[in-house]
Amino acid sequence: MSDDNAPWLIAGLGNPGPEYAMNRHNVGFMVADLLARRMGAKFKRATKGQAQVVEGRIGPPGPANRRVILAKPMSYMNVSGGPVTALRDFYKVPTDRIVAVHDELDIDYGVLRLKLGGGDNGHNGLKSMTKAMGPDYHRVRFGIGRPPGRMQVADFVLKDFSSTERKELDYFVDRAADAVEALVTEGLERAQSSYNS
């Protein structure tokens, strides 16, 4: 396991640009933005890699307080692995201290699942990260549900959340940010017992 002084790298996955901002595929960016606001910080362009970053701390004062780098890869979802790997190398982050926050089709809307390692389940952002650095990073999976009827998956994930979904979106994003904080400060098992609904 990793050195206790090593930072955590939290990568919210999404696509850059205002046209994608409210897409289901961009929920990772939404969670990262909220975490940055909680830290009282604004994203800036990274010196290394194609990403926006915030450096700060998460957790209460004392031993549970953790140094974190929040990142939003600006390379488009399907090639997230390059920017995340560049940040991992630049900040010397062990792979088991990397957290990908992403949308998940096979979980009902708003449901969270936290895990370490595993497959990509057809998610191109995870596929790119796993290809770049192996599968042994944490995932905070934010359920978006399956597309209705015969809608193609690609169309569904690149559509904005529906007006019904948006009524609860802030609550679910807030809960996902809480789950990330719990993962980083309390460890995977405790975070899973609190947030894996």
Side-chain angles (χ1 to χ4, degrees):
M1 288 305 272
S2 51
D3 159 21
D4 264 357
N5 297 315
W8 284 76
L9 172 58
I10 299 160
L13 301 187
N15 287 309
E19 67 274 32
Y20 298 108
M22 290 305 294
N23 287 182
R24 293 181 177 92
H25 224 16
N26 268 42
V27 76
F29 275 16
M30 296 173 199
V31 174
D33 284 336
L34 177 57
L35 287 165
R37 286 198 299 276
R38 288 181 179 184
M39 288 160 58
K42 282 194 175 2
F43 277 97
K44 61 185 189 300
R45 184 63 82 176
T47 50
K48 279 278 177 203
Q50 209 180 349
Q52 290 183 352
V53 294
V54 165
E55 294 181 57
R57 301 192 80 83
I58 281 179
N65 191 264
R66 301 277 183 257
R67 181 172 160 234
V68 297
I69 295 97
L70 287 177
K72 295 194 298 185
M74 292 285 121
S75 59
Y76 291 97
M77 178 69 87
N78 297 359
V79 285
S80 300
V84 175
T85 305
L87 291 169
R88 176 198 69 179
D89 295 346
F90 181 72
Y91 289 104
K92 299 179 173 50
V93 180
T95 305
D96 67 351
R97 286 206 169 195
I98 295 172
V99 183
V101 185
H102 63 92
D103 56 306
E104 179 61 64
L105 286 159
D106 286 336
I107 303 175
D108 289 341
Y109 174 61
V111 173
L112 295 174
R113 292 271 190 281
L114 285 70
K115 69 175 193 170
L116 174 63
D120 56 56
N121 207 20
H123 191 289
N124 289 328
L126 297 183
K127 201 173 284 182
S128 175
M129 283 181 62
T130 297
K131 186 176 176 191
M133 60 190 178
D136 300 325
Y137 54 90
H138 288 88
R139 298 101 191 277
V140 173
R141 303 156 72 205
F142 186 112
I144 59 168
R146 300 293 305 182
R150 293 168 181 252
M151 186 188 287
Q152 293 296 312
V153 164
D155 295 333
F156 179 69
V157 299
L158 292 175
K159 279 207 173 359
D160 288 358
F161 284 101
S162 70
S163 54
T164 308
E165 288 169 334
R166 279 201 296 271
K167 288 176 184 154
E168 294 182 296
L169 183 60
D170 286 349
Y171 168 76
F172 289 139
V173 168
D174 195 64
R175 194 164 180 273
D178 291 346
V180 172
E181 291 184 352
L183 170 61
V184 167
T185 59
E186 300 172 22
L188 180 62
E189 283 184 22
R190 287 188 66 177
Q192 283 175 324
S193 66
S194 300
Y195 293 97
N196 277 16
S197 37

